[in-house]
Amino acid sequence: MSANFHPLVYIIDYILGIIMWTLVGRVAMNIFQREDSQFFFMKAFVKFTNPLLKVFKPVTPKFIIQPLVPLYVAWFFFMIRFYLMPYLLGYSVMGMLSFPLESEISRQIYQFFNSIKF
């Protein structure tokens, strides 16, 4: 990692990032599958994200169509990761790919493709 954060910061960011990307994944999967589908991944997305959607129901506007509600909730997690966490840590907004989870994933992808000999 490029910054010297306490390991708890990374753990919190990884958890928030996984939640955020699971919500985004549910919206993407919902393009191809119904929410009541028997497909394993869709059932997993619905099972893990429904409790979050219930928690955020009071702040979710009624005009948002149901398939996009998880994306709206994911936006909250993005805002927490992009604005609140750096503010609480005493940093300004760090910019794209500054999230530890996404930075580590992009670093692994770069190393993978860099190791392939064409």
Side-chain angles (χ1 to χ4, degrees):
M1 302 287 164
S2 59
N4 288 327
F5 294 124
H6 188 275
L8 188 59
V9 172
Y10 290 110
I11 292 169
I12 292 170
D13 184 74
Y14 276 43
I15 291 169
L16 293 174
I18 289 169
I19 291 170
M20 181 185 82
W21 285 111
T22 303
L23 288 162
V24 171
R26 177 177 172 162
V27 173
M29 184 70 75
N30 201 20
I31 294 171
F32 303 104
Q33 298 283 324
R34 294 185 330 265
E35 285 189 9
D36 62 349
S37 171
Q38 294 303 310
F39 184 56
F40 168 76
F41 289 111
M42 190 60 189
K43 287 191 332 188
F45 280 124
V46 170
K47 178 183 176 184
F48 291 124
T49 58
N50 271 350
L52 285 169
L53 298 180
K54 288 179 185 174
V55 169
F56 281 87
K57 190 172 181 92
V59 295
T60 303
K62 302 291 183 219
F63 62 83
I64 297 178
I65 59 173
Q66 194 59 36
L68 293 180
V69 169
L71 191 61
Y72 177 77
V73 174
W75 173 77
F76 281 101
F77 287 92
F78 173 81
M79 298 301 277
I80 291 168
R81 293 177 70 213
F82 197 78
Y83 290 110
L84 184 62
M85 289 213 27
Y87 176 75
L88 293 176
L89 294 171
Y91 296 100
S92 63
V93 175
M94 295 183 276
M96 288 300 289
L97 290 178
S98 62
F99 303 123
L101 176 66
E102 287 81 358
S103 296
E104 186 63 30
I105 291 170
S106 64
R107 188 176 299 115
Q108 294 299 323
I109 291 171
Y110 175 77
Q111 287 176 353
F112 173 75
F113 284 111
N114 200 26
S115 67
I116 297 175
K117 304 291 185 208
F118 290 103

